[in-house]
Amino acid sequence: MTHIRPAKADDALSIMAIYNQGIAERSATFETEPRHLDDIRQRIADVDRYPLLVAVDASNTVIGWAGLSGYRPRDCYAGIGEFSVYLAADARGRGVGRLLLQALIETARLRGYWKLLSRIFLFNNASRALCRACGFREVGIYEKHGQLEGRWLDVVIVEHLIPENLAPAASAAAL
Ligand SMILES: CC(C)(COP(=O)(O)OP(=O)(O)OC[C@H]1O[C@@H](n2cnc3c(N)ncnc32)[C@H](O)[C@@H]1OP(=O)(O)O)[C@@H](O)C(=O)NCCC(=O)NCCS
């Protein structure tokens, strides 16, 4: 039985390994350099600001993670989170990504975020399907947004509004 919980300091190595597997596959991100443990530790230390969740299987192994990072530094964008979600290769296609992303949306809602967004390579069918399944809208396409291995790649922008946090009084102060 898979369950989702906030990331803890002890999860850093597992999160790093899953992230670096995703980077090495060259289908999820423009990043090409492996992440270092210190990056992940820093991210876990910052969970009060930017939620970071892990999926754990029945044997207590971390099989995936999902987290938010800041969109832009301006105050007016403080309630917008950029999300990432990565699963270990052998954990994919079994509904775990959906569990993680749904839990991340709920955590973001409780924290006062009013929008989650990301950019996805057009050919990343699993990620696009996951986003659709979790209520994201495909906004449009940035053409030739960056190069990966010498190839210009387009990305599709996805967004998910959180209506409870869109009342006129909602403000960055809630975050
Ligand atoms: C993208 C990713 C997180 C999806 O998680 P997952 O656990 O495999 O997805 P789920 O099993 O929860 O499936 C969610 C939806 O996507 C669909 N889906 C999953 N894999 C798919 C694929 N390869 N092609 C098409 N649809 C797919 C499922 O059918 C489901 O849709 P449904 O509910 O309408 O049936 C996972 O494949 C992954 O970690 N990929 C590598 C890293 C990556 O690309 N991350 C995203 C960039 S931030």
Side-chain angles (χ1 to χ4, degrees):
M1 180 71 185
T2 301
H3 75 278
I4 310 296
R5 62 161 171 78
K8 300 184 293 199
D10 283 358
D11 300 323
L13 259 181
S14 308
I15 292 172
M16 183 185 74
I18 293 167
Y19 201 168
N20 287 340
Q21 183 178 40
I23 291 172
E25 288 168 350
R26 303 287 194 259
S27 56
T29 171
F30 283 110
E31 288 181 80
T32 54
E33 293 299 317
R35 288 295 186 128
H36 296 289
L37 201 51
D38 281 348
D39 300 333
I40 311 298
R41 288 191 174 128
Q42 182 56 51
R43 204 151 168 175
I44 295 173
D46 210 15
V47 288
D48 287 344
R49 178 72 185 87
Y50 297 118
L52 183 61
L53 305 177
V54 290
V56 178
D57 70 9
S59 59
N60 223 16
T61 301
V62 172
I63 54 174
W65 63 270
L68 293 185
S69 55
Y71 169 61
R72 297 276 159 78
R74 290 188 197 167
D75 286 351
C76 62
Y77 299 132
I80 303 178
E82 293 223 27
F83 76 91
S84 302
V85 51
Y86 286 78
L87 299 191
D90 56 6
R92 296 175 196 164
R94 290 192 269 124
V96 179
R98 190 182 184 130
L99 279 181
L100 264 172
L101 192 51
Q102 284 172 338
L104 188 67
I105 294 167
E106 175 60 9
T107 305
R109 185 183 71 78
L110 295 171
R111 298 274 184 95
Y113 284 88
W114 56 80
K115 179 187 287 199
L116 301 190
L117 56 76
S118 191
R119 290 166 302 276
I120 304 173
F121 293 142
L122 295 196
F123 56 78
N124 191 342
N125 293 325
S127 189
R128 290 178 72 174
L130 170 66
C131 287
R132 269 195 299 277
C134 291
F136 282 76
R137 175 175 81 96
E138 294 197 342
V139 177
I141 291 171
Y142 283 135
E143 294 183 6
K144 300 183 175 29
H145 204 53
Q147 286 191 55
L148 187 60
E149 314 264 272
R151 242 183 358 131
W152 288 104
L153 293 182
D154 298 348
V155 292
V156 58
I157 308 157
V158 293
E159 73 170 9
H160 187 290
L161 292 169
I162 302 178
E164 293 91 323
N165 296 330
L166 284 165
S171 79
L175 293 170

Short mmCIF file of all heavy atoms in Angstrom, two decimals, residues 18 22 25 27-29 83-89 91-99 118-120 124-134, ligand 1:
data_model
loop_
_atom_site.label_atom_id
_atom_site.label_comp_id
_atom_site.label_asym_id
_atom_site.label_seq_id
_atom_site.Cartn_x
_atom_site.Cartn_y
_atom_site.Cartn_z
N ILE A 18 16.10 9.35 -7.32
CA ILE A 18 14.94 9.36 -8.24
C ILE A 18 15.03 10.56 -9.18
O ILE A 18 14.79 10.46 -10.39
CB ILE A 18 13.62 9.37 -7.42
CG1 ILE A 18 13.48 8.04 -6.68
CG2 ILE A 18 12.43 9.65 -8.32
CD1 ILE A 18 12.39 8.03 -5.60
N GLY A 22 15.55 10.62 -13.36
CA GLY A 22 14.72 11.42 -14.27
C GLY A 22 15.55 12.35 -15.14
O GLY A 22 15.30 12.49 -16.34
N GLU A 25 17.30 10.41 -17.93
CA GLU A 25 16.41 9.91 -19.00
C GLU A 25 16.14 10.96 -20.08
O GLU A 25 15.69 10.63 -21.19
CB GLU A 25 15.06 9.46 -18.41
CG GLU A 25 15.18 8.18 -17.62
CD GLU A 25 13.94 7.88 -16.80
OE1 GLU A 25 13.05 8.75 -16.69
OE2 GLU A 25 13.86 6.77 -16.25
N SER A 27 13.82 13.19 -20.48
CA SER A 27 12.47 13.42 -20.98
C SER A 27 11.62 14.27 -20.05
O SER A 27 10.45 14.54 -20.35
CB SER A 27 11.76 12.09 -21.27
OG SER A 27 11.77 11.30 -20.12
N ALA A 28 12.21 14.69 -18.92
CA ALA A 28 11.40 15.43 -17.94
C ALA A 28 11.86 16.87 -17.75
O ALA A 28 11.07 17.71 -17.32
CB ALA A 28 11.44 14.70 -16.60
N THR A 29 13.13 17.16 -18.02
CA THR A 29 13.69 18.46 -17.65
C THR A 29 14.85 18.83 -18.59
O THR A 29 15.49 17.94 -19.16
CB THR A 29 14.20 18.41 -16.18
OG1 THR A 29 14.93 19.59 -15.89
CG2 THR A 29 15.08 17.20 -15.90
N PHE A 83 5.50 23.13 -9.93
CA PHE A 83 5.60 21.78 -9.35
C PHE A 83 6.51 20.88 -10.17
O PHE A 83 6.69 21.07 -11.38
CB PHE A 83 4.22 21.14 -9.19
CG PHE A 83 3.66 20.64 -10.49
CD1 PHE A 83 3.89 19.33 -10.90
CD2 PHE A 83 2.93 21.47 -11.30
CE1 PHE A 83 3.40 18.86 -12.09
CE2 PHE A 83 2.44 21.01 -12.52
CZ PHE A 83 2.67 19.70 -12.91
N SER A 84 7.08 19.91 -9.48
CA SER A 84 7.83 18.82 -10.11
C SER A 84 7.32 17.52 -9.51
O SER A 84 6.97 17.49 -8.32
CB SER A 84 9.32 18.91 -9.81
OG SER A 84 9.85 20.13 -10.23
N VAL A 85 7.31 16.47 -10.30
CA VAL A 85 6.93 15.15 -9.78
C VAL A 85 7.77 14.09 -10.50
O VAL A 85 7.85 14.10 -11.73
CB VAL A 85 5.40 14.91 -9.90
CG1 VAL A 85 4.87 15.18 -11.29
CG2 VAL A 85 5.04 13.50 -9.46
N TYR A 86 8.41 13.26 -9.73
CA TYR A 86 9.30 12.23 -10.29
C TYR A 86 9.08 10.92 -9.54
O TYR A 86 9.08 10.90 -8.31
CB TYR A 86 10.78 12.62 -10.11
CG TYR A 86 11.25 13.71 -11.04
CD1 TYR A 86 10.94 15.04 -10.79
CD2 TYR A 86 12.02 13.41 -12.16
CE1 TYR A 86 11.37 16.05 -11.63
CE2 TYR A 86 12.45 14.41 -13.02
CZ TYR A 86 12.13 15.72 -12.75
OH TYR A 86 12.56 16.73 -13.59
N LEU A 87 8.97 9.86 -10.32
CA LEU A 87 8.85 8.53 -9.72
C LEU A 87 10.03 7.67 -10.15
O LEU A 87 10.54 7.83 -11.27
CB LEU A 87 7.59 7.82 -10.20
CG LEU A 87 6.23 8.43 -9.92
CD1 LEU A 87 5.16 7.40 -10.24
CD2 LEU A 87 6.11 8.87 -8.49
N ALA A 88 10.41 6.74 -9.28
CA ALA A 88 11.36 5.71 -9.69
C ALA A 88 10.76 4.98 -10.89
O ALA A 88 9.55 4.79 -10.97
CB ALA A 88 11.59 4.74 -8.54
N ALA A 89 11.63 4.56 -11.84
CA ALA A 89 11.12 4.00 -13.10
C ALA A 89 10.18 2.82 -12.86
O ALA A 89 9.16 2.68 -13.53
CB ALA A 89 12.30 3.58 -13.98
N ALA A 91 8.18 2.31 -10.53
CA ALA A 91 6.96 2.65 -9.78
C ALA A 91 5.94 3.38 -10.66
O ALA A 91 4.88 3.77 -10.20
CB ALA A 91 7.31 3.52 -8.58
N ARG A 92 6.28 3.56 -11.92
CA ARG A 92 5.41 4.37 -12.80
C ARG A 92 4.22 3.55 -13.33
O ARG A 92 4.29 2.34 -13.40
CB ARG A 92 6.22 4.92 -13.98
CG ARG A 92 7.30 5.89 -13.51
CD ARG A 92 8.18 6.37 -14.65
NE ARG A 92 9.40 6.98 -14.09
CZ ARG A 92 10.50 7.22 -14.78
NH1 ARG A 92 10.55 6.94 -16.06
NH2 ARG A 92 11.55 7.76 -14.18
N GLY A 93 3.19 4.30 -13.74
CA GLY A 93 2.05 3.66 -14.40
C GLY A 93 1.14 2.88 -13.49
O GLY A 93 0.35 2.06 -13.93
N ARG A 94 1.24 3.15 -12.17
CA ARG A 94 0.39 2.43 -11.20
C ARG A 94 -0.43 3.38 -10.34
O ARG A 94 -0.87 3.02 -9.25
CB ARG A 94 1.26 1.55 -10.30
CG ARG A 94 1.88 0.38 -10.99
CD ARG A 94 2.50 -0.59 -9.99
NE ARG A 94 3.90 -0.30 -9.72
CZ ARG A 94 4.40 -0.08 -8.52
NH1 ARG A 94 3.62 -0.05 -7.46
NH2 ARG A 94 5.69 0.15 -8.37
N GLY A 95 -0.53 4.63 -10.78
CA GLY A 95 -1.37 5.58 -10.04
C GLY A 95 -0.65 6.35 -8.95
O GLY A 95 -1.26 7.16 -8.25
N VAL A 96 0.65 6.10 -8.78
CA VAL A 96 1.38 6.78 -7.69
C VAL A 96 1.59 8.26 -8.00
O VAL A 96 1.47 9.13 -7.13
CB VAL A 96 2.74 6.08 -7.42
CG1 VAL A 96 3.50 6.79 -6.31
CG2 VAL A 96 2.52 4.61 -7.07
N GLY A 97 1.86 8.56 -9.27
CA GLY A 97 2.02 9.97 -9.66
C GLY A 97 0.76 10.75 -9.37
O GLY A 97 0.80 11.87 -8.86
N ARG A 98 -0.36 10.13 -9.65
CA ARG A 98 -1.64 10.79 -9.40
C ARG A 98 -1.85 11.05 -7.91
O ARG A 98 -2.24 12.13 -7.50
CB ARG A 98 -2.76 9.90 -9.96
CG ARG A 98 -4.09 10.58 -9.99
CD ARG A 98 -5.13 9.59 -10.51
NE ARG A 98 -6.41 10.22 -10.63
CZ ARG A 98 -7.17 10.17 -11.73
NH1 ARG A 98 -6.78 9.50 -12.77
NH2 ARG A 98 -8.33 10.78 -11.74
N LEU A 99 -1.54 10.04 -7.09
CA LEU A 99 -1.66 10.22 -5.63
C LEU A 99 -0.78 11.37 -5.16
O LEU A 99 -1.20 12.21 -4.35
CB LEU A 99 -1.18 8.95 -4.90
CG LEU A 99 -2.11 7.77 -4.77
CD1 LEU A 99 -1.40 6.66 -4.00
CD2 LEU A 99 -3.38 8.18 -4.05
N SER A 118 3.47 24.32 -14.47
CA SER A 118 4.72 23.69 -14.88
C SER A 118 4.83 23.79 -16.41
O SER A 118 3.90 24.26 -17.07
CB SER A 118 4.77 22.22 -14.45
OG SER A 118 6.08 21.70 -14.64
N ARG A 119 5.96 23.40 -16.90
CA ARG A 119 6.16 23.29 -18.34
C ARG A 119 6.63 21.87 -18.63
O ARG A 119 7.49 21.35 -17.93
CB ARG A 119 7.21 24.31 -18.81
CG ARG A 119 6.75 25.74 -18.77
CD ARG A 119 7.91 26.69 -18.90
NE ARG A 119 8.89 26.46 -17.84
CZ ARG A 119 8.78 27.01 -16.62
NH1 ARG A 119 7.80 27.82 -16.33
NH2 ARG A 119 9.68 26.74 -15.70
N ILE A 120 6.02 21.27 -19.65
CA ILE A 120 6.26 19.85 -19.91
C ILE A 120 6.70 19.68 -21.37
O ILE A 120 6.10 20.29 -22.27
CB ILE A 120 4.95 19.04 -19.69
CG1 ILE A 120 4.41 19.28 -18.28
CG2 ILE A 120 5.16 17.57 -19.96
CD1 ILE A 120 3.03 18.64 -18.06
N ASN A 124 6.34 14.26 -23.51
CA ASN A 124 6.24 13.57 -22.22
C ASN A 124 4.77 13.21 -21.96
O ASN A 124 4.06 13.84 -21.19
CB ASN A 124 6.81 14.45 -21.10
CG ASN A 124 6.97 13.68 -19.79
OD1 ASN A 124 6.37 12.62 -19.60
ND2 ASN A 124 7.78 14.20 -18.89
N ASN A 125 4.33 12.16 -22.64
CA ASN A 125 2.92 11.78 -22.59
C ASN A 125 2.45 11.41 -21.19
O ASN A 125 1.31 11.71 -20.81
CB ASN A 125 2.65 10.59 -23.54
CG ASN A 125 2.85 11.00 -24.98
OD1 ASN A 125 2.54 12.13 -25.35
ND2 ASN A 125 3.38 10.11 -25.80
N ALA A 126 3.32 10.77 -20.42
CA ALA A 126 2.90 10.36 -19.06
C ALA A 126 2.63 11.60 -18.21
O ALA A 126 1.62 11.67 -17.51
CB ALA A 126 3.98 9.49 -18.44
N SER A 127 3.51 12.58 -18.31
CA SER A 127 3.35 13.78 -17.50
C SER A 127 2.12 14.57 -17.95
O SER A 127 1.34 15.08 -17.12
CB SER A 127 4.62 14.63 -17.61
OG SER A 127 4.57 15.69 -16.70
N ARG A 128 1.91 14.67 -19.25
CA ARG A 128 0.73 15.41 -19.75
C ARG A 128 -0.55 14.70 -19.32
O ARG A 128 -1.52 15.34 -18.91
CB ARG A 128 0.81 15.55 -21.27
CG ARG A 128 1.92 16.51 -21.68
CD ARG A 128 2.03 16.64 -23.19
NE ARG A 128 0.93 17.38 -23.78
CZ ARG A 128 0.87 17.71 -25.07
NH1 ARG A 128 1.85 17.34 -25.89
NH2 ARG A 128 -0.15 18.40 -25.54
N ALA A 129 -0.54 13.36 -19.41
CA ALA A 129 -1.75 12.61 -19.00
C ALA A 129 -1.98 12.76 -17.50
O ALA A 129 -3.12 12.92 -17.05
CB ALA A 129 -1.58 11.14 -19.37
N LEU A 130 -0.91 12.71 -16.74
CA LEU A 130 -1.04 12.88 -15.28
C LEU A 130 -1.67 14.24 -14.97
O LEU A 130 -2.58 14.35 -14.15
CB LEU A 130 0.34 12.76 -14.62
CG LEU A 130 0.38 13.16 -13.14
CD1 LEU A 130 -0.43 12.20 -12.29
CD2 LEU A 130 1.83 13.21 -12.64
N CYS A 131 -1.16 15.27 -15.62
CA CYS A 131 -1.69 16.62 -15.36
C CYS A 131 -3.17 16.72 -15.73
O CYS A 131 -3.97 17.28 -15.00
CB CYS A 131 -0.85 17.66 -16.08
SG CYS A 131 0.75 17.89 -15.28
N ARG A 132 -3.50 16.16 -16.88
CA ARG A 132 -4.92 16.17 -17.28
C ARG A 132 -5.77 15.47 -16.23
O ARG A 132 -6.82 15.95 -15.82
CB ARG A 132 -5.09 15.48 -18.64
CG ARG A 132 -4.98 16.42 -19.83
CD ARG A 132 -5.52 15.78 -21.09
NE ARG A 132 -4.80 14.57 -21.47
CZ ARG A 132 -3.65 14.57 -22.17
NH1 ARG A 132 -3.13 15.72 -22.58
NH2 ARG A 132 -3.05 13.44 -22.47
N ALA A 133 -5.27 14.31 -15.76
CA ALA A 133 -6.04 13.52 -14.79
C ALA A 133 -6.22 14.29 -13.48
O ALA A 133 -7.17 14.03 -12.74
CB ALA A 133 -5.34 12.18 -14.54
N CYS A 134 -5.30 15.21 -13.19
CA CYS A 134 -5.36 15.96 -11.93
C CYS A 134 -5.96 17.35 -12.12
O CYS A 134 -5.84 18.22 -11.25
CB CYS A 134 -3.97 16.07 -11.30
SG CYS A 134 -3.34 14.49 -10.69
C1 LIG B 1 5.11 11.58 -15.13
C2 LIG B 1 4.98 10.61 -13.97
C3 LIG B 1 5.20 11.35 -12.65
C4 LIG B 1 3.53 10.03 -13.98
O1 LIG B 1 3.32 9.26 -12.83
P1 LIG B 1 2.66 7.80 -12.94
O2 LIG B 1 2.52 7.23 -11.59
O3 LIG B 1 3.43 7.02 -13.95
O4 LIG B 1 1.23 8.15 -13.52
P2 LIG B 1 -0.14 7.47 -13.04
O5 LIG B 1 -0.01 5.99 -13.07
O6 LIG B 1 -0.57 8.11 -11.76
O7 LIG B 1 -1.11 7.91 -14.22
C5 LIG B 1 -1.75 9.18 -14.23
C6 LIG B 1 -2.48 9.31 -15.57
O8 LIG B 1 -1.53 9.34 -16.62
C7 LIG B 1 -1.75 8.25 -17.53
N1 LIG B 1 -0.43 7.77 -17.94
C8 LIG B 1 0.55 7.30 -17.13
N2 LIG B 1 1.62 6.98 -17.87
C9 LIG B 1 1.31 7.24 -19.17
C10 LIG B 1 2.01 7.11 -20.38
N3 LIG B 1 3.28 6.65 -20.41
N4 LIG B 1 1.40 7.50 -21.52
C11 LIG B 1 0.14 7.99 -21.50
N5 LIG B 1 -0.60 8.13 -20.35
C12 LIG B 1 0.00 7.76 -19.20
C13 LIG B 1 -2.53 7.24 -16.75
O9 LIG B 1 -3.31 6.44 -17.59
C14 LIG B 1 -3.38 8.13 -15.86
O10 LIG B 1 -4.47 8.68 -16.56
P3 LIG B 1 -5.96 8.23 -16.24
O11 LIG B 1 -6.14 8.46 -14.77
O12 LIG B 1 -6.80 9.12 -17.09
O13 LIG B 1 -6.01 6.79 -16.59
C15 LIG B 1 5.98 9.42 -14.06
O14 LIG B 1 5.75 8.74 -15.27
C16 LIG B 1 7.44 9.87 -14.00
O15 LIG B 1 8.00 9.98 -12.92
N6 LIG B 1 8.06 10.15 -15.18
C17 LIG B 1 9.47 10.60 -15.25
C18 LIG B 1 9.67 11.98 -14.64
C19 LIG B 1 8.78 13.00 -15.31
O16 LIG B 1 8.59 13.03 -16.51
N7 LIG B 1 8.23 13.90 -14.46
C20 LIG B 1 7.36 14.96 -14.92
C21 LIG B 1 8.11 16.21 -15.25
S1 LIG B 1 8.00 17.39 -13.91
#
